[in-house]
Amino acid sequence: MNIGQASRATGVSTKMIRYYESVGLIRPADRTDSNYRDFGERDVHELQFIRRARDLGFSVAEIGHLLSLWRDRDRPSREVKAIAQKHVADLDARIAEMKAMADALRTLAKCCAGDDRPDCPILVDLSTRQTGALKSNVRIAR
Amino acid sequence: MNIGQASRATGVSTKMIRYYESVGLIRPADRTDSNYRDFGERDVHELQFIRRARDLGFSVAEIGHLLSLWRDRDRPSREVKAIAQKHVADLDARIAEMKAMADALRTLAKCCAGDDRPDCPILVDLSTRQTGALKSNVRIAR
DNA sequence: ATGGGCCTTCCAGTCATGGGAAGGTCAAGC
DNA sequence: GCTTGACCTTCCCATGACTGGAAGGCCCAT
């Protein structure tokens, strides 16, 4: 299976497959005589694993950890659960932060006429409100 | 007011102030004889505006738009409201996506013993579930 | 005049990903 | 056998919104 076929089989772009290999998330694929990457069933399975973990919002680093646990048939489920729970907590924190933003903005927008007149509570708020304590060290990123 | 004082007055890092200037979000600051940036009251006010807009999760591009509307005393509030509402919709979309991830993962974690044994429904799910349709073109980023 | 705390510019890295160039390979049709 | 077009390879660059750091200039107090 060449990289294009592996990509179609897993929904991971060829670019990403090469990237995952370059950062050591997957082991270097076998090569054909003509230097094409050659993926076996196991590789495809790992790529599917990665794809689903990405769908759940895990970072590449977390996926690396999950993959190593997955490869180890004797891993304690405690470790996996801990990673998952930490990720859930991260997600919840980011969700809360974004919800606070959305709610604040919704309230302002509701008070804005949204017509031809220039008066706008949204701009008034942006130009006068005290800087909110809406800050965190948690990145709002996938 | 030099850049450090402006930074302390607004909560925007000096790095960011220079960055905002470089991308044209704020106009180039005046300079002293010794080439130090010199910020006036109006500049500080704009930086505060930017800071609060960032707190609400607006992108730099959106802030640029909001700033130009803010500077124009005759702008129709309709335009401001439209930007705000689009941003709220973006936030809501990302929130929904992240909530789906968190909920899925919470369910799995609940079924995971989290002990010394290797059996783990989380890994089973990652390695066998059909790839979810959990995708979007909306970036999950601040 | 020396020290340390500012300031300046410039360059590089982050994270996951996409875009594209330049060149090699393969399979099908002629 | 040759061309064509679809693949593959590596490499570099760009994104967004930053942060970090180096090298050098400036300012003020001692």
Side-chain angles (χ1 to χ4, degrees):
Chain A
M1 220 180 202
N2 67 28
I3 202 172
Q5 297 167 317
S7 171
R8 265 162 264 137
T10 60
V12 179
S13 73
T14 59
K15 285 277 188 193
M16 278 299 97
I17 295 175
R18 293 192 194 100
Y19 170 72
Y20 292 149
E21 185 185 285
S22 79
V23 297
L25 190 57
I26 53 180
R27 42 141 221 192
D30 291 344
R31 298 291 179 135
T32 64
D33 289 349
S34 55
N35 201 32
Y36 282 18
R37 284 180 183 77
D38 189 19
F39 297 87
E41 210 174 306
R42 186 183 130 165
D43 303 301
V44 167
H45 204 178
E46 292 208 357
L47 285 171
Q48 284 169 337
F49 182 101
I50 291 170
R51 167 77 149 96
R52 295 190 275 249
R54 292 292 298 142
D55 281 348
L56 287 173
F58 286 102
S59 70
V60 166
E62 288 167 328
I63 295 174
H65 199 166
L66 288 171
L67 265 176
S68 79
L69 291 171
W70 185 44
R71 291 179 186 128
D72 172 11
R73 281 193 299 142
D74 297 329
R75 80 267 158 172
S77 63
R78 190 190 315 106
E79 282 192 52
V80 181
K81 187 167 185 172
I83 296 175
Q85 284 179 329
K86 175 167 183 321
H87 184 53
V88 168
D90 284 354
L91 286 170
D92 284 345
R94 297 186 229 166
I95 289 168
E97 198 171 344
M98 292 171 64
K99 189 167 180 312
M101 293 177 186
D103 287 348
L105 216 41
R106 229 186 308 268
T107 301
L108 287 171
K110 208 186 307 179
C111 300
C112 176
D115 57 18
D116 285 336
R117 288 169 301 165
D119 319 274
C120 178
I122 300 168
L123 291 182
V124 168
D125 182 85
L126 285 174
S127 62
T128 63
R129 187 171 41 86
Q130 283 310 309
T131 292
L134 243 181
K135 54 141 154 277
S136 77
N137 37 9
V138 180
R139 286 263 53 203
I140 308 271
R142 192 191 268 276
Chain B
M1 218 178 203
N2 66 28
I3 201 172
Q5 297 167 318
S7 171
R8 264 161 265 138
T10 61
V12 180
S13 74
T14 59
K15 285 278 188 190
M16 277 299 95
I17 295 175
R18 292 192 194 98
Y19 171 72
Y20 291 149
E21 185 184 285
S22 79
V23 298
L25 190 57
I26 52 180
R27 41 140 223 191
D30 291 343
R31 297 292 180 134
T32 65
D33 289 349
S34 56
N35 201 32
Y36 282 18
R37 284 179 182 77
D38 189 19
F39 297 87
E41 210 175 306
R42 186 182 131 166
D43 303 301
V44 167
H45 203 178
E46 292 208 357
L47 285 171
Q48 283 169 337
F49 182 101
I50 291 169
R51 166 80 149 95
R52 295 189 275 251
R54 292 292 298 139
D55 281 349
L56 287 173
F58 285 102
S59 70
V60 166
E62 288 166 327
I63 295 173
H65 199 167
L66 289 172
L67 264 177
S68 78
L69 291 171
W70 185 45
R71 291 178 186 130
D72 172 11
R73 282 192 299 140
D74 297 329
R75 78 270 160 172
S77 64
R78 191 192 313 108
E79 282 192 50
V80 181
K81 187 167 184 170
I83 297 176
Q85 284 178 329
K86 176 171 182 317
H87 184 52
V88 168
D90 285 354
L91 284 170
D92 285 346
R94 298 186 231 165
I95 289 169
E97 198 172 342
M98 291 171 64
K99 189 166 179 311
M101 292 177 187
D103 288 347
L105 215 41
R106 230 187 307 269
T107 302
L108 287 171
K110 209 184 308 179
C111 300
C112 175
D115 58 17
D116 285 336
R117 289 168 300 164
D119 320 274
C120 179
I122 299 169
L123 291 181
V124 168
D125 182 85
L126 285 174
S127 61
T128 63
R129 186 171 42 85
Q130 283 310 309
T131 292
L134 243 182
K135 51 136 154 284
S136 77
N137 38 8
V138 180
R139 286 263 53 204
I140 307 271
R142 191 190 268 275

